Amino acid sequence: MLEIKNLHAEVEGEGIKILKGVNLTINKGEIHAIMGPNGSGKSTLSKVVAGHPEYEVTGGDILYNGESILELDPDERAHAGIFLAFQYPVEVPGVTNKTLLRESYNTIAASRGREELDPLEFDDYIQDKLKLVEMNPEFLDRSVNTGFSGGEKKRNEIFQMAVLQPQISFLDETDSGLDIDALKIVSNGINTLHGEEDAVVLVTHYQRLLNYIQPDFVHVMMNGRIVKSGDKSLALELEERGYDWLYAEANLNGQPA
Amino acid sequence: MEEMTQAQELESMIGEEYKYGFSTDVEYEDFPKGLNEDIIRQLSAIKEEPEWLLEFRLKAYRDWLTMEEPEWFNATYKKPKFDEIQYYSSPKNRPKVESLDDIDPKIKETYDKLGIPLEEQKMLSGVAVDAVFDSVSIFTTFKEKLAEAGVIFCSISEAVKNHPELVKKYLGSVVPARDNFYAALNSAVFSDGSFCYVPKNTVSPMELSTYFRINNMNSGQFERTLIIADDHSYVSYLEGCTAPMYDENQLHAAVVELVALDHAEIKYSTIQNWYSGNEEGVGGIYNFVTKRGICKGEYSKISWTQLETGSAVTLKYPSVIMQGDHSIGEFYSVAVTSKRQQADTGTKMIHIGKNTKSTIISKGISAGESDNSYRGAVKISKKATNARNYSQCDSMLIGQKCGAHTFPYIESANPTAKIEHEATTSRVGEDQIFYLQQRGISEQDAISMIVNGFAKEVLKELPMEFAVEANKLLGIKLEGSVG
């Protein structure tokens, strides 16, 4: 479904290289976890896939269902089914959650030839999704992320994912800042949403998320590359041993990434 | 091939930017350019005005001659050459007509193109329109229906003829001719505009609106609007403005006076979309307007709502004098500037009566290389016990080259006054746009969503019929202004 090939990217206009040859293949039905120390490039990877204008791709390619998406605008990538749950969801004062979501849903629906929903139909449609992340319906009438607590913002991201039904979702540190109850709710939501036809990529610092969501693959990113891939046991090993041993193994001469 | 398409796309986007920029080829009555007492006499004679009005004009003109063009605002521009302006511009073919069939078809077509059809059956239901083309009122719709309710709605020229006692009593009572340089000029040469009188205990059965169109390249527009709401009455009034795209600047110097008597309420809304000049700042309208209302009676209320998107330079401070006890003044404003536009706009809230209350909500949006200033004064007089004011001034910046400024002035001579002022400045960030784009919204829709969200508190004050238009206008206005 998604093939990242020798991807190089830097901060637009500043020449700071962040991704230095990432290779990663993700198939339908899979859950991948990308771990790694701070500054290793894992958050950047998900932003580059979503098309953030701050980054310039300087080499390699991203193929989605066999076609390069590098020339697509972020909204076109979203229409194609790529979703990013933000590490820091952005506030949009004066625009209600419901307005954004319906607009979002209908734009994506229209581009995929699905039926658009009128406000009443949309109301019905989102009721179940609200329950999934145990969100109070009054959330819908509040401005997008404005005055939300950290945990509420993260839950709102998963709520959006539930409503928009993407094909591939990058969840950028969705677990950070969540207390244990919220973590359970969010994990449960992700597990329920995930199926045979879609893929999920968890970008995380902590193995604790992986206690609730079982990944098929775990990758470690360092210094702009994926240096090691394995199954769930790799995450446990990282928890125990830290990252230092990998610097040596990755032949980075122990330099911090 | 691909470049071709891009160029075309760009072109169509630019075309959409100001879709009211066409001009109409009509024949004009001859009227000399320039300004002197003879011109004023001539103007007054064409309009068959009574002696007292000619005297009013001449006195204003003599005052104007002694006054200096103001320079205290935050804008720079080439000063108008007052000798080169044509102070009266009327299409030939009988300016004011009794039936639609008598209107020059070209002018009728102009209003159709502007989306303001003059046939009543095609109109927005519940809105009566006075259409002003350059210096003259062309047609007023729904007159009979309004007359049934006792509401007088006509051009000010007609009011001078048919209701001289009302005009004489109130003209210049809120904005004296000497008030400022441009008010004096307007008082000397005002051509047409709307007049409205709502009698006691009457709620106007429909929204009233005036649509101003400047067509003639060399003419200025000096309209005069006077609205009087008698005891226990209510009226909602809306004005819309457009002009063709010319390279020369055109002057629009209007005066609007509102009078609210006991328990009366006037809601005055403006959607101003004059041509704003091009990317280099060439052409566009100078919008130098004096708007003021007086809450004369107790428990009266005047509310200004404005959506200012056009004009090269805007200097405008719709104000309320709260003379009656318990009266209320409100000012809701969204001012959008892009390209090289300059806007210095705000309000004055003058508290004289006891227990008077005013609210100011101002939202400035600057894009391109424009400059957007809020200037507001709150004055509480000695007698205004328990006066209250709440002001909120928010600025939003789009891009790196624009400016936003806030100049609040507060004067209180009464220790019981309560005055609150809040101000914020924010920037439409790449992150905000990216977030919405990631949710499938296009860049332009994202900007429009962010801006509409920002301006929501004000836009909701606009009459329903115009809210949709306002939303669209904001989107078009800021198209292509990020990145």
Side-chain angles (χ1 to χ4, degrees):
Chain A
M1 176 187 273
L2 190 77
E3 260 183 285
I4 298 171
K5 287 181 164 175
N6 194 26
L7 188 67
H8 288 71
E10 54 185 51
V11 178
E12 172 95 35
E14 290 180 26
I16 302 165
K17 293 182 172 56
I18 304 198
L19 301 183
K20 302 170 185 173
V22 177
N23 288 292
L24 179 63
T25 300
I26 297 160
N27 297 306
K28 273 187 193 174
E30 294 175 352
I31 296 180
H32 292 242
I34 300 177
M35 304 183 74
N38 287 328
S40 57
K42 51 191 198 306
S43 277
T44 300
L45 178 64
S46 39
K47 285 190 203 165
V48 169
V49 171
H52 197 294
E54 194 183 334
Y55 302 99
E56 185 187 355
V57 173
T58 51
D61 208 346
I62 306 171
L63 302 180
Y64 179 65
N65 296 329
E67 288 184 42
S68 174
I69 56 167
L70 291 183
E71 293 302 315
L72 297 183
D73 285 339
D75 47 319
E76 295 168 323
R77 299 186 197 198
H79 297 165
I82 296 171
F83 180 85
L84 171 62
F86 284 60
Q87 183 180 2
Y88 304 108
V90 181
E91 299 186 359
V92 193
V95 177
T96 66
N97 243 353
K98 198 196 265 179
T99 308
L100 168 61
L101 269 180
R102 198 168 75 83
E103 187 78 21
S104 226
Y105 178 90
N106 281 338
T107 316
I108 292 173
S111 75
R112 292 177 153 194
R114 285 200 306 237
E115 197 189 335
E116 295 182 39
L117 300 180
D118 70 32
L120 292 177
E121 290 168 336
F122 188 72
D123 256 0
D124 291 342
Y125 169 73
I126 54 178
Q127 291 313 315
D128 293 347
K129 319 285 178 191
L130 276 173
K131 284 186 201 124
L132 186 71
V133 283
E134 298 182 23
M135 259 170 70
N136 190 325
E138 73 171 33
F139 256 75
L140 295 170
D141 295 317
R142 283 168 57 182
S143 290
V144 177
N145 294 323
T146 311
F148 287 24
S149 71
E152 286 170 336
K153 285 182 184 176
K154 295 299 176 75
R155 245 197 280 179
N156 196 29
E157 294 293 288
I158 302 309
F159 173 57
Q160 295 184 9
M161 173 181 163
V163 171
L164 301 178
Q165 298 182 308
Q167 279 199 300
I168 182 163
S169 307
F170 281 77
L171 310 183
D172 190 3
E173 304 204 15
T174 299
D175 53 331
S176 65
L178 292 183
D179 62 33
I180 195 72
D181 291 332
L183 182 66
K184 280 182 185 164
I185 292 168
V186 163
S187 307
N188 179 46
I190 296 166
N191 284 328
T192 312
L193 292 171
H194 175 58
E196 287 302 308
E197 291 302 312
D198 71 284
V200 173
V201 181
L202 306 165
V203 176
T204 180
H205 269 293
Y206 306 106
Q207 117 81 24
R208 70 169 190 164
L209 174 67
L210 308 182
N211 291 334
Y212 299 98
I213 305 173
Q214 301 279 332
D216 301 296
F217 301 94
V218 173
H219 311 277
V220 181
M221 259 189 102
M222 278 182 168
N223 197 23
R225 282 194 199 101
I226 288 176
V227 295
K228 196 170 183 66
S229 297
D231 60 14
K232 191 182 174 324
S233 63
L234 177 58
L236 294 167
E237 196 175 356
L238 287 172
E239 176 91 339
E240 204 163 294
R241 296 175 65 188
Y243 291 109
D244 282 351
W245 60 283
L246 279 169
Y247 284 115
E249 197 170 287
N251 202 8
L252 294 170
N253 300 325
Q255 57 172 274
Chain B
M1 190 62 203
E2 197 189 348
E3 273 174 30
M4 269 287 287
T5 341
Q6 265 186 7
Q8 281 164 353
E9 205 176 85
L10 198 67
E11 205 170 32
S12 73
M13 261 168 73
I14 292 165
E16 202 176 3
E17 255 184 6
Y18 193 72
K19 59 178 176 183
Y20 309 112
F22 64 90
S23 62
T24 311
D25 185 17
V26 291
E27 270 190 83
Y28 285 96
E29 278 177 32
D30 291 327
F31 195 86
K33 283 185 183 176
L35 185 56
N36 53 47
E37 294 204 3
D38 275 349
I39 293 263
I40 292 169
R41 283 176 207 283
Q42 220 175 314
L43 172 72
S44 190
I46 291 180
K47 298 172 79 71
E48 299 165 0
E49 286 175 356
E51 192 59 28
W52 64 265
L53 190 50
L54 175 62
E55 280 310 311
F56 176 90
R57 289 177 181 279
L58 289 172
K59 191 172 173 305
Y61 173 68
R62 289 165 199 149
D63 283 338
W64 179 72
L65 286 175
T66 69
M67 296 167 96
E68 292 285 328
E69 195 171 351
E71 284 176 353
W72 44 264
F73 39 75
N74 188 28
T76 49
Y77 60 90
K78 206 172 70 191
K79 286 181 180 164
K81 293 189 181 114
F82 296 101
D83 280 345
E84 289 176 16
I85 294 171
Q86 189 182 334
Y87 287 86
Y88 181 76
S89 171
S90 163
K92 269 187 180 168
N93 302 349
R94 295 183 57 195
K96 187 75 195 186
V97 292
E98 291 312 316
S99 139
L100 271 177
D101 302 333
D102 301 337
I103 298 181
D104 184 334
K106 279 184 190 153
I107 292 181
K108 202 159 138 287
E109 201 184 295
T110 302
Y111 283 93
D112 281 341
K113 261 196 200 166
L114 295 170
I116 320 278
L118 298 177
E119 290 94 343
E120 293 187 359
Q121 67 274 20
K122 282 196 201 161
M123 300 268 321
L124 288 166
S125 57
V127 184
V129 175
D130 184 25
V132 177
F133 193 84
D134 290 331
S135 300
V136 290
S137 170
I138 297 296
F139 196 70
T140 310
T141 62
F142 290 112
K143 260 188 178 166
E144 287 83 25
K145 187 162 178 200
L146 288 166
E148 276 169 34
V151 175
I152 303 168
F153 181 48
C154 61
S155 72
I156 196 128
S157 311
E158 261 180 282
V160 168
K161 287 188 181 124
N162 301 333
H163 310 281
E165 68 300 337
L166 283 171
V167 179
K168 201 172 172 181
K169 183 170 176 190
Y170 290 108
L171 188 74
S173 72
V174 191
V175 180
R178 284 195 63 89
D179 190 79
N180 66 71
F181 183 82
Y182 283 101
L185 179 64
N186 175 287
S187 301
V189 301
F190 73 87
S191 38
D192 220 336
S194 300
F195 173 84
C196 172
Y197 171 79
V198 189
K200 284 182 183 163
N201 305 313
T202 304
V203 172
S204 173
M206 58 208 325
E207 302 265 347
L208 305 185
S209 86
T210 302
Y211 196 89
F212 295 102
R213 173 80 178 165
I214 300 180
N215 187 62
N216 189 343
M217 184 160 87
N218 302 312
S219 76
Q221 192 168 46
F222 304 91
E223 93 259 5
R224 187 93 191 186
T225 296
L226 176 58
I227 297 174
I228 302 138
D230 214 326
D231 298 352
H232 294 273
S233 70
Y234 171 83
V235 63
S236 165
Y237 177 93
L238 184 127
E239 61 170 1
C241 328
T242 62
M245 296 154 80
Y246 291 130
D247 290 343
E248 291 293 315
N249 296 109
Q250 289 165 284
L251 178 61
H252 172 251
V255 170
V256 175
E257 298 178 281
L258 311 181
V259 181
L261 302 179
D262 285 356
H263 294 267
E265 180 176 349
I266 301 174
K267 183 176 168 63
Y268 192 106
S269 316
T270 304
I271 295 185
Q272 186 264 107
N273 188 22
W274 297 118
Y275 176 52
S276 60
N278 69 8
E279 300 288 340
E280 280 77 46
V282 176
I285 302 284
Y286 292 158
N287 188 34
F288 302 159
V289 172
T290 308
K291 290 184 166 176
R292 193 176 301 152
I294 182 162
C295 288
K296 234 179 155 66
E298 56 173 23
Y299 293 98
S300 57
K301 177 176 172 184
I302 289 178
S303 181
W304 298 101
T305 304
Q306 61 174 19
L307 174 58
E308 298 284 317
T309 67
S311 299
V313 184
T314 296
L315 305 174
K316 177 179 170 188
Y317 316 90
S319 305
V320 183
I321 301 167
M322 285 153 275
Q323 188 182 52
D325 291 346
H326 304 278
S327 60
I328 296 174
E330 292 176 339
F331 175 72
Y332 298 97
S333 169
V334 177
V336 189
T337 52
S338 63
K339 298 185 209 163
R340 300 284 178 98
Q341 279 178 275
Q342 306 176 79
D344 192 311
T345 180
T347 183
K348 277 187 266 183
M349 290 293 176
I350 298 158
H351 294 255
I352 296 172
K354 294 186 184 68
N355 302 308
T356 46
K357 212 163 69 177
S358 64
T359 304
I360 299 171
I361 311 276
S362 163
K363 305 273 182 176
I365 301 162
S366 345
E369 297 179 43
S370 68
D371 245 318
N372 200 329
S373 304
Y374 166 80
R375 188 182 304 277
V378 176
K379 289 188 185 167
I380 314 258
S381 78
K382 226 169 168 177
K383 288 184 287 179
T385 313
N386 293 325
R388 278 160 59 195
N389 164 266
Y390 173 77
S391 303
Q392 186 190 329
C393 307
D394 300 324
S395 307
M396 181 178 256
L397 300 166
I398 302 177
Q400 304 293 332
K401 291 182 181 166
C402 53
H405 317 269
T406 304
F407 305 100
Y409 306 87
I410 296 168
E411 264 175 53
S412 177
N414 188 309
T416 61
K418 277 190 204 152
I419 301 168
E420 278 177 80
H421 181 91
E422 289 178 30
T424 66
T425 302
S426 57
R427 191 176 282 282
V428 176
E430 217 173 44
D431 275 334
Q432 243 176 346
I433 294 167
F434 176 65
Y435 185 71
L436 296 179
Q437 274 192 286
Q438 214 304 304
R439 297 302 180 253
I441 315 281
S442 72
E443 182 176 341
Q444 285 313 326
D445 288 348
I447 293 168
S448 146
M449 203 180 245
I450 293 164
V451 168
N452 276 300
F454 173 73
K456 198 177 190 176
E457 278 169 277
V458 173
L459 296 178
K460 72 175 170 40
E461 296 294 327
L462 284 174
M464 264 296 275
E465 287 87 345
F466 301 99
V468 179
E469 188 189 351
N471 277 354
K472 268 198 234 151
L473 189 58
L474 277 180
I476 290 167
K477 185 72 197 172
L478 294 167
E479 193 145 15
S481 56
V482 173

